[in-house]
Structures are given as C-alpha cells and as structure tokens.
Amino acid sequence: MAENKKFVITVGRQYGSGGAEMAKRLGERLGLHVYDKEILKMTSEESGIRESYFHLADEKAGNKLLYKIIKSLTPEKGAPSFGSDLTSADNLFRFQSEVIRKLAAEEDCIIMGRCADYVLEGMEGLVRVFIYADMDFREKRTIEKEYYTAKDAKKNIKRIDRERRDYFRYYTGKEWESPDNYDLMINTAAIGIDGAVETIKNYLKTRGFQI
C-alpha cells in the first residue's frame, strides 16, 4: 500500500475572492486544521510578545523606506532576535515564520496568507494556491457579507489588496499575484467556492496525496 505523503496547503487570496471561506470548507472536507489569525496568538505565546503587536504588523509591510533604498534585499529567513528590535515588524515576521514552519512540520494543514508559500519554500509536499476573482464578484460578495457598504467596498478591496501586495513584496522580494509563486491559481468568480474546493482536491489526488 502506498505511503501517505505529507502535504501542506498555503492559500494566498485577493480580498473578497472567498479564499478564507474556501479554505474553511476544504479543511472540513479533508479533516485539516486551517490556520489564519490563530497564528498570531500562537506566535505571541511562543515569543512572549503581546499579541496586539502582531495584529498591528499583520500582512502589512515593515520599514518601507528600507525597502525603497535596498529593493534587492530579500529579508533573511533566520531566527528572530530577542534584542532591541524585539517588536520590530521584521522581527515579528521572523517569529511568525518560525511558528508556520513548526505547524507545517507537525501536521498536514492549510495556512492562510502571511507569505507561508515563501516561508515554506522547498518543503516537500508544499501545495501553493492563489484565489482570485474579478472586481465585480469581489465587490458584490463584500457587500453581501456586510464587510463594507456599497459606497466603500471597492475602495477597501483595493486598499487591502495593496497592503497584501506590499507585504508580500517587502518580505519575499516577489510579486504577490505572479503565477511563478503558485502551483494553482483559481478564479472563484468562474467556478465558485465549492468548485475551488473540488479543484484543489482533484489536484491533490493528481499529485499522489492520499485524501
């Protein structure tokens, strides 16, 4: 009988595309934990740093001036510091990355955003997914879910996408929406949330993972 191969799914997502809902349904159907904001709490417990610091830095770029000066500098994947830069955005990212690596080593799971695809780069069994949709779909969904009013929806979708794009570029040196970074890019406006779940399940089977 074939040995069960370990896998970890990372999910990048445009705001309003249904990435979080898709991950929740996929997790339920595959019996996997989905880690999103919980990572901040776990990182706080691991590091002893107040959780509020991680929420402030969550998916937002660190020192943008430094990024502008040294565009080619890819942040180190090294161990976090307990020195004077303890609560700097870059150091918080390193703490968070450690937690992501530990989760991936311990269990098959789904990890949302936070450059997890980059943090786990080269890991055997890594499946990198990006969920996207057109603006009309995302705007409609955001209004229906009552995240934002019709007047404010598009503006906030663009703002949050920009924050995620800047965060990804800052910490990885790569472009967030580039196909080069992913194994699967799925348009939820075309096939819906359940269609995305089924697509990922079929992909996992094709890769030889037991699900």
Side-chain angles (χ1 to χ4, degrees):
M1 190 175 164
E3 181 192 351
N4 280 5
K5 290 200 292 182
K6 182 172 173 34
F7 66 90
V8 171
I9 301 166
T10 61
V11 180
R13 70 280 181 231
Q14 289 182 329
Y15 187 77
S17 63
E21 190 178 333
M22 185 286 301
K24 184 172 180 287
R25 288 189 204 176
L26 182 65
E28 284 166 0
R29 288 176 202 178
L30 297 182
L32 301 178
H33 281 124
V34 179
Y35 293 105
D36 192 354
K37 295 282 184 193
E38 302 88 339
I39 289 173
L40 307 182
K41 183 171 170 51
M42 294 164 81
T43 307
S44 172
E45 288 167 357
E46 185 94 1
S47 63
I49 298 170
R50 281 210 336 253
E51 193 178 339
S52 56
Y53 283 114
F54 291 98
H55 281 283
L56 286 171
D58 190 31
E59 297 204 287
K60 293 183 179 68
N63 187 334
K64 288 182 183 173
L65 179 63
L66 175 69
Y67 172 71
K68 283 174 187 162
I69 295 168
I70 320 174
K71 277 192 180 169
S72 61
L73 176 67
T74 301
E76 58 175 308
K77 290 184 180 177
S81 154
F82 284 89
S84 59
D85 65 342
L86 181 67
T87 58
S88 73
D90 289 3
N91 203 45
L92 297 179
F93 179 80
R94 287 193 287 270
F95 274 118
Q96 181 175 276
S97 298
E98 275 206 338
V99 168
I100 287 169
R101 281 190 286 268
K102 282 182 182 175
L103 288 171
E106 283 169 12
E107 60 177 310
D108 292 355
C109 59
I110 300 168
I111 301 176
M112 302 297 298
R114 297 175 183 83
C115 304
D117 50 299
Y118 168 77
V119 171
L120 300 175
E121 203 169 36
M123 175 191 150
E124 198 175 338
L126 179 63
V127 177
R128 306 162 303 164
V129 176
F130 189 82
I131 303 294
Y132 69 99
D134 60 66
M135 181 57 81
D136 285 349
F137 175 89
R138 295 195 284 150
E139 201 173 352
K140 185 167 178 278
R141 202 170 171 280
T142 301
I143 295 163
E144 279 173 1
K145 295 275 184 186
E146 298 184 346
Y147 296 146
Y148 292 103
T149 62
K151 181 169 67 76
D152 294 329
K154 185 181 268 189
K155 176 180 67 182
N156 281 291
I157 288 168
K158 287 181 173 177
R159 173 184 59 80
I160 294 166
D161 275 357
R162 187 173 61 249
E163 285 173 357
R164 290 178 179 176
R165 194 175 294 118
D166 289 349
Y167 177 87
F168 194 87
R169 186 188 292 136
Y170 176 77
Y171 284 111
T172 72
K174 299 178 179 184
E175 294 304 315
W176 179 54
E177 290 143 313
S178 169
D180 293 346
N181 303 320
Y182 306 103
D183 303 301
L184 268 183
M185 296 185 82
I186 302 174
N187 180 354
T188 42
I191 61 172
I193 307 288
D194 282 323
V197 169
E198 289 307 309
T199 300
I200 295 168
K201 283 170 64 182
N202 289 332
Y203 177 79
L204 291 169
K205 287 175 190 167
T206 305
R207 283 269 299 264
F209 297 116
Q210 305 288 319
I211 60 168

